[in-house]
Amino acid sequence: MTDSPDWPNIMQAVHHSAKPHFGSGKVADYIPALACIDPHKFGMTVALGNGEMHCIGDTDEAFSMQSISKIFTLALALQIYGDDLWKRVGREPSGSAFNSIVQLESEKGIPRNPLINAGAIVTTNHLVQHYSENSAHPQGAVGQLLALLQDQAGDKSIAVDEAVALSESETGSRNRSLAHFMSGFGVVQGDIERTLSSYFRQCAVAISCRQLARAALFLAFDGCDPVSGKRVLSSRRCRRINAVMMMSGHYDNSGDFAYRIGLPGKSGVGGGILVVAPGYGTVATWSPGLNEAGTSMVGAIALEELVRKTGWSIFV
Ligand code: DON
């Protein structure tokens, strides 16, 4: 990468490469509240370690965070439980769909990783158990997630979209099945419906590209926000979250994403993708049309161009 990239030019090139594909892919409709989102939306924000933010398109429009929330709940759970978290969830790629149940029976209810739905439900179960026993944090696990996002983004407006949360809960049979199945193995513990409610609400957080890229910046700088200087996570845990994102951030599409973009990333069925470029910054894109694995099609195309222009792939 050059010493001082021409950011306006790079962002224009990204927009130019993405534009012919606007509207491609399929908007998630298994959560009815997401089905009506305009598939032609597209936004991207690049947040840099020096505090600069470079934005194009619908960068300030809030979208449903969905599975991108799993990165932040993983960070919270690692802060509290440390390596004990790995007793009930693995860190191997699943090679299966995000909502798959097939591996859980032969693997004694322990999900392959914290980014598939089953694994994220286990992470949330840890948080729900911790916060329900901790009167110092009456706002619970979702309150802690919101506080983390708001503090890091410097923006108190980040909130749960309650209509999306309700829609997820009403159509959440597969997630309920996963949670009850894992509870049968003792992997999910305590009040299952409380854990599910927390999981649905974390997925329903509404956030913009600008807010998301800013909130995640600590992940690109060893767990410490480079602008505020605030440490969120130890550097060791930060590296490990990025490793899990690299291997499993896109489920059965993780290999293709690594091949094309070469950076740790996390997709969400709201059409968002968060990407971490260690030592450089973070990128958040949003475009609602998805591929079969639930990754934004236009978002991935735009990221390919960004990485081509910046040389940010960790494989150089
Ligand atoms: O649990 C679900 O199915 C959704 N709330 C989240 C799935 C998701 O975002 C998958 N990622 N691409």
Side-chain angles (χ1 to χ4, degrees):
M1 193 182 63
T2 58
D3 284 344
S4 51
D6 179 353
W7 280 107
N9 192 291
I10 291 172
M11 299 308 278
Q12 278 308 319
V14 167
H15 202 241
H16 187 75
S17 68
K19 207 171 175 183
H21 304 278
F22 284 2
S24 51
K26 185 173 176 294
V27 176
D29 56 6
Y30 76 101
I31 300 169
L34 299 182
C36 54
I37 311 289
D38 177 358
H40 291 87
K41 294 283 182 185
F42 169 73
M44 178 186 277
T45 295
V46 177
L48 301 175
N50 62 5
E52 282 179 30
M53 309 273 275
H54 298 280
C55 302
I56 42 168
D58 302 308
T59 196
D60 287 311
E61 193 164 325
F63 59 87
S64 195
M65 196 175 188
Q66 295 297 322
S67 288
I68 302 170
S69 65
K70 297 168 180 174
I71 299 302
F72 295 89
T73 50
L74 176 60
L76 288 172
L78 284 172
Q79 278 174 347
I80 298 162
Y81 288 90
D83 288 343
D84 280 350
L85 182 73
W86 304 117
K87 291 179 182 163
R88 289 197 262 147
V89 61
R91 43 188 192 243
E92 292 295 343
S94 69
S96 300
F98 60 83
N99 54 7
S100 175
I101 202 167
V102 291
Q103 287 159 342
L104 276 183
E105 182 166 20
S106 58
E107 297 181 6
K108 301 192 168 39
I110 297 185
R112 279 281 174 102
N113 66 68
L115 303 184
I116 52 175
N117 287 7
I121 290 168
V122 170
T123 306
T124 298
N125 181 238
H126 278 78
L127 293 177
V128 167
Q129 289 212 294
H130 177 80
Y131 288 115
S132 63
E133 287 159 9
N134 191 331
S135 58
H137 298 282
Q139 65 278 58
V142 177
Q144 291 302 306
L145 170 66
L146 288 173
L148 173 63
L149 294 169
Q150 292 171 354
D151 287 352
Q152 294 309 119
D155 190 336
K156 295 281 175 213
S157 72
I158 300 169
V160 174
D161 181 332
E162 296 295 349
V164 173
L166 181 64
S167 182
E168 289 217 43
S169 182
E170 285 172 350
T171 54
S173 301
R174 290 191 65 153
N175 285 323
R176 280 197 176 78
S177 308
L178 293 169
H180 282 272
F181 197 72
M182 292 188 289
S183 152
F185 286 97
V187 172
V188 164
Q189 299 171 1
D191 186 335
I192 303 176
E193 201 49 44
R194 196 166 173 175
T195 291
L196 283 162
S197 163
S198 188
Y199 172 76
F200 294 137
R201 293 187 74 236
Q202 78 178 56
C203 289
V205 168
I207 198 163
S208 69
C209 289
R210 187 190 300 270
Q211 292 165 333
L212 178 59
R214 181 66 191 84
L217 206 49
F218 68 92
L219 290 169
F221 293 91
D222 286 333
C224 185
D225 187 288
V227 182
S228 68
K230 189 177 163 200
R231 178 159 292 286
V232 179
L233 272 180
S234 70
S235 61
R236 175 173 160 269
R237 293 205 172 115
C238 180
R239 277 201 306 278
R240 289 175 167 180
I241 290 176
N242 286 332
V244 174
M245 280 173 91
M246 189 79 208
M247 299 303 290
S248 306
H250 306 269
Y251 323 107
D252 46 342
N253 191 227
S254 299
D256 184 60
F257 194 85
Y259 181 89
R260 290 169 59 197
I261 284 116
L263 289 168
K266 183 71 211 83
S267 58
V269 292
I273 306 177
L274 170 66
V275 159
V276 178
Y280 294 114
T282 50
V283 190
T285 69
W286 173 52
S287 181
L290 309 174
N291 69 12
E292 287 201 351
T295 300
S296 167
M297 284 188 61
V298 177
I301 290 166
L303 286 165
E304 256 185 305
E305 179 66 6
L306 183 85
V307 166
R308 203 174 69 75
K309 288 277 181 197
T310 56
W312 274 3
S313 164
I314 59 173
F315 306 110
V316 191

